[in-house]
Amino acid sequence: MSDSGANLELWPVGNCQVSGMIDERAGLVWGCIPRVDGDPVFCALLHGDRPDQGVWRFELEGQVRASQSYERNTPILVTRLEAADGSAVEITDFCPRFERSGRMYRPVAFTRIVRPVAGVPRLKIKLAPLHSHGSAEPRTTNGSNHIRYLLGDEAMRLSTDAPIGYVLAGKTYRVESDQHFFLGPDEPFVGNLRAELRNMEELTRKYWRLWVRGLATPLEWQDEVIRCAITLKLCQHEETGAIVAALTTSIPEAPGSQRNWDYRFCWIRDSYYTVQALNRLGALDVLEKYLGYLRNIVDDAQGGRIQPLYSVMGAAELTESIAPDLSGYRGMGPVRIGNAAFRQVQHDCYGQIVLPTVQAFFDRRLLRMADERDFARLEQVGEMAWRMHDQPDAGLWEFRTREEVHTYSAVMCWAACDRLRNVAERLGKPDRAGFWHDRADAVRARIDRDAWVPDTDERDGFYKASFESEYLDASLLQMLELRFLEPDDPRFASTIDAVERDLRRGEHMLRYQKEDDFGPPETAFNICTFWLIDALARMGRHQEARELFVAMLGHRTRSGLLSEDMDFVTGELWGNFPQTYSLVGVINCAGLLSKNWNTVR
């Protein structure tokens, strides 16, 4: 095993077409083309034994310090590198995004501007992309102001006013004036590079600040929520509206665990929580595109059957393979491309896609509201929810070697039927409303019969994680959020007590502690901690929820973000980054816990 020094102190940049991760030393160590699930031409993050490959780095001679920050209310990153002799440079990273010629300009491009800010800095540029998942170096050609990189089926062109010979040779040289770099489409750069990139920088800055200006933020934790909101938007592939679970693949959930998954896809199980967060923010542009993506999934569903995840283009086939030339994060392979979970049976998907899509029947802000034709298609999904509510599945935790009737899946199937009743009433269809009401009641009765563990002399009763077993999992906390139970229901109080006793580890929550396909879990799952915070707040345990929320915020990276998992002893982050689940956890809990704006008026 190799240790490249990699960690999750990463700073995402992007434009809703491409995204990149900048590390603590201003290295672009992760970036895929032509979109988030494409070939990682910058892959040093997962190249533990060759961290000098698949990277774009500016190395300051004699460097002793580095500091980083985003420009306020933007994903524009500024990294300051300082040398022992007092010289310093600032590197500005962004992916252009702004309206031009009546449409959004968001090219497959990374823009970097180097500005000398003290002394006479000496810099070396290491620009070493790879292709074919780290297996090959590109062929290059160059002219007086550009370098062309042939990256398998793709090609990119670096346009720059820096000395091309120095860039190609990796030679250290004095930086005496601002230098501009545009790595983008393989076409001649039109116009004055310096002027055009500075204009792009200003227009991109203006776009993001105006976008943030339109958000509905809570009174408290505004900076935290804004950063998560910007990053959540970066996780959207704007062309289709899909929102990916994370921007990376194969960051292990725990050291050496082999729990390395590709999260650059759209999980249906995320959709309810994501839409909830977008509603809290009032981010209608992201919301409408996402609802459009989900409607396309429903339209394409054969007989109403929904699978757990899809590509950002809506493709159903996501064949999983190993990238043998990438040794993995800190050398902890394997690096997986694709995700075999698309083949799994996960019945919670039916509720997960119905719950967010029903909003379009009620929300009059939307440009395109849903109609009776949409309801007819959605009823096919509801029919599958009814048929599958008491059938075994892999569950939302995606067990690969066993199936049971999972309580969470059954509750989500109940929610699908319950919400279809609401839509039928909205559309003035009393017969269909009664139909779905009866089905929801039948599913509820089955859950109460088969998932409830009765009281004994030694313990109070509780809901269990599956109909067949008496183990617990953190998804039971969502019975309140999904409105299956009310906050004052004693059955939920006893269930949350049981879940906390079994799964809480100080400030953190495990998903479950039962051994799975890869052994017992070794880290806490961050969204489960946010679920606990949500449940505590809804039950009136407000102060306890606030304290736990503040503790979770304290574990964020310097970029203000969280990954999927956390070592509940050391607090170290693990799992893919930044995790959409964790982003929406911050947004939703902040909105729930914050003081009201009226308190300062």
Side-chain angles (χ1 to χ4, degrees):
M1 183 184 299
S2 168
D3 187 348
S4 66
N7 60 52
L8 294 185
E9 285 294 345
L10 301 170
W11 300 72
V13 296
N15 61 6
C16 305
Q17 173 65 42
V18 292
S19 56
M21 298 285 180
I22 310 297
D23 72 5
E24 296 176 288
R25 296 182 294 135
L28 177 56
V29 295
W30 183 256
C32 303
I33 62 167
R35 57 178 188 252
V36 65
D37 59 354
D39 190 5
V41 296
F42 296 107
C43 53
L45 181 66
L46 299 184
H47 219 347
D49 55 352
R50 295 176 64 195
D52 60 334
Q53 294 294 307
V55 68
W56 184 1
R57 188 179 299 285
F58 298 100
E59 297 180 356
L60 179 64
E61 187 175 75
Q63 181 182 322
V64 293
R65 279 183 298 278
S67 58
Q68 292 170 294
S69 63
Y70 284 118
E71 291 192 11
R72 189 175 75 88
N73 292 356
T74 79
I76 299 174
L77 176 65
V78 178
T79 304
R80 183 183 177 96
L81 304 180
E82 300 179 34
D85 64 3
S87 61
V89 295
E90 286 186 349
I91 301 159
T92 301
D93 279 287
F94 67 97
C95 295
R97 179 179 173 82
F98 49 86
E99 190 169 321
R100 187 169 77 176
S101 302
R103 44 200 176 93
M104 192 59 65
Y105 177 67
R106 42 177 172 78
V108 179
F110 301 95
T111 302
R112 315 193 77 178
I113 300 175
V114 178
R115 295 178 169 99
V117 292
V120 184
R122 288 174 53 79
L123 207 64
K124 179 168 69 175
I125 300 171
K126 179 69 173 179
L127 179 47
L130 298 172
H131 66 89
S132 302
H133 298 99
S135 66
E137 297 182 11
R139 291 188 294 116
T140 64
T141 60
N142 63 276
S144 57
N145 296 107
H146 78 270
I147 305 172
R148 184 169 181 258
Y149 296 90
L150 301 177
L151 299 157
D153 295 333
E154 303 282 346
M156 296 189 80
R157 179 185 295 241
L158 175 72
S159 299
T160 182
D161 51 15
I164 287 293
Y166 289 164
V167 176
L168 287 168
K171 177 178 172 54
T172 302
Y173 66 97
R174 290 167 63 113
V175 179
E176 297 182 339
S177 61
D178 294 359
Q179 296 186 347
H180 304 78
F181 301 82
F182 184 83
L183 181 64
D186 182 26
E187 55 194 37
F189 192 94
V190 178
N192 180 284
L193 182 73
R194 176 189 179 97
E196 288 296 323
L197 292 196
R198 291 192 173 197
N199 187 49
M200 287 183 187
E201 180 184 13
E202 180 53 37
L203 291 173
T204 300
R205 180 182 296 113
K206 181 178 180 180
Y207 168 82
W208 284 104
R209 287 184 173 168
L210 287 175
W211 183 79
V212 168
R213 186 169 175 260
L215 297 179
T217 57
L219 172 62
E220 299 179 272
W221 306 298
Q222 290 183 59
D223 288 338
E224 293 85 346
V225 168
I226 288 170
R227 182 52 50 198
C228 287
I230 289 172
T231 310
L232 180 60
K233 185 173 173 68
L234 293 183
C235 289
Q236 182 169 63
H237 184 66
E238 188 169 59
E239 181 181 357
T240 63
I243 296 177
V244 296
L247 297 176
T248 59
T249 177
S250 302
I251 308 296
E253 294 180 12
S257 65
Q258 304 283 302
R259 300 175 188 263
N260 301 10
W261 314 115
D262 192 347
Y263 274 13
R264 299 171 300 158
F265 306 112
C266 185
W267 261 260
I268 300 304
R269 69 165 184 237
D270 295 358
S271 57
Y272 170 68
Y273 306 103
T274 301
V275 167
Q276 189 181 39
L278 294 172
N279 273 318
R280 288 190 185 277
L281 294 167
L284 282 180
D285 60 331
V286 182
L287 175 64
E288 284 197 293
K289 287 183 178 294
Y290 188 45
L291 291 177
Y293 174 83
L294 295 177
R295 282 195 294 268
N296 275 316
I297 296 297
V298 171
D299 284 352
D300 292 340
Q302 299 298 317
R305 187 175 298 277
I306 302 296
Q307 67 184 46
L309 66 153
Y310 298 84
S311 82
V312 296
M313 301 304 294
E317 188 82 15
L318 303 173
T319 304
E320 185 176 302
S321 61
I322 303 297
D325 294 283
L326 294 175
S327 60
Y329 178 76
R330 300 187 187 174
M332 298 177 190
V335 172
R336 290 186 170 92
I337 306 300
N339 198 306
F342 82 92
R343 299 184 185 279
Q344 289 188 348
V345 175
Q346 295 180 28
H347 300 321
D348 64 297
C349 294
Y350 299 110
Q352 293 280 17
I353 203 165
V354 169
L355 265 63
T357 52
V358 298
Q359 176 164 337
F361 292 92
F362 295 87
D363 192 342
R364 300 195 63 82
R365 300 172 300 171
L366 301 177
L367 293 174
R368 194 267 187 199
M369 292 188 68
D371 57 24
E372 292 191 8
R373 292 168 298 178
D374 297 300
F375 180 60
R377 294 189 185 98
L378 212 54
E379 281 197 295
Q380 295 181 37
V381 178
E383 188 65 33
M384 286 298 298
W386 165 251
R387 289 171 53 191
M388 297 299 164
H389 77 271
D390 59 355
Q391 298 301 303
D393 72 351
L396 86 160
W397 307 127
E398 298 180 353
F399 298 123
R400 292 197 169 199
T401 59
R402 70 170 190 265
E403 291 189 346
E404 295 180 348
V405 181
H406 289 94
T407 303
Y408 180 80
S409 295
V411 170
M412 270 295 181
C413 288
W414 165 83
C417 297
D418 179 71
R419 302 324 191 257
L420 285 169
R421 172 185 62 85
N422 293 343
V423 175
E425 291 177 347
R426 175 74 170 183
L427 294 176
K429 296 177 176 293
D431 291 347
R432 301 310 296 167
F435 177 84
W436 288 111
H437 179 271
D438 291 345
R439 285 195 162 179
D441 279 354
V443 177
R444 177 187 284 278
R446 184 65 184 273
I447 294 168
D448 286 341
R449 188 189 80 188
D450 290 349
W452 176 254
V453 179
D455 296 357
T456 67
D457 292 338
E458 291 79 28
R459 69 184 185 195
D460 293 331
F462 58 89
Y463 285 96
K464 54 184 180 174
S466 81
F467 289 8
E468 295 90 341
S469 307
E470 283 202 13
Y471 77 97
L472 294 160
D473 79 0
S475 69
L476 297 165
L477 297 169
Q478 287 294 285
M479 299 178 87
L480 194 59
E481 162 64 32
L482 295 172
R483 303 202 301 269
F484 186 83
L485 298 175
E486 296 297 323
D488 58 355
D489 192 321
R491 293 175 299 173
F492 186 75
S494 59
T495 298
I496 193 173
D497 286 346
V499 169
E500 283 196 87
R501 281 195 305 270
D502 202 47
L503 302 179
R504 186 167 176 176
R505 301 292 184 271
E507 301 170 349
H508 309 285
M509 286 291 295
L510 304 181
R511 286 174 287 186
Y512 48 84
Q513 66 171 353
K514 184 178 180 180
E515 188 167 314
D516 63 16
D517 325 335
F518 292 83
E522 302 171 60
T523 52
F525 201 60
N526 291 328
I527 188 58
C528 296
T529 306
F530 288 117
W531 286 350
L532 174 62
I533 294 166
D534 182 281
L536 293 174
R538 293 177 189 274
M539 294 179 69
R541 295 162 63 179
H542 203 79
Q543 186 57 37
E544 186 178 353
R546 283 179 64 93
E547 291 172 359
L548 192 54
F549 181 58
V550 170
M552 280 298 291
L553 293 179
H555 291 292
R556 293 170 303 137
T557 62
R558 284 187 282 276
S559 60
L561 306 172
L562 288 166
S563 63
E564 179 188 39
D565 305 276
M566 192 182 305
D567 187 310
F568 52 81
V569 176
T570 67
E572 183 174 7
L573 294 176
W574 290 90
N576 283 303
F577 179 88
Q579 180 79 0
T580 295
Y581 253 163
S582 298
L583 299 174
V584 302
V586 172
I587 293 166
N588 287 331
C589 287
L592 188 64
L593 294 170
S594 173
K595 296 175 183 176
N596 193 288
W597 278 96
N598 289 331
T599 62
V600 297
R601 293 186 180 128

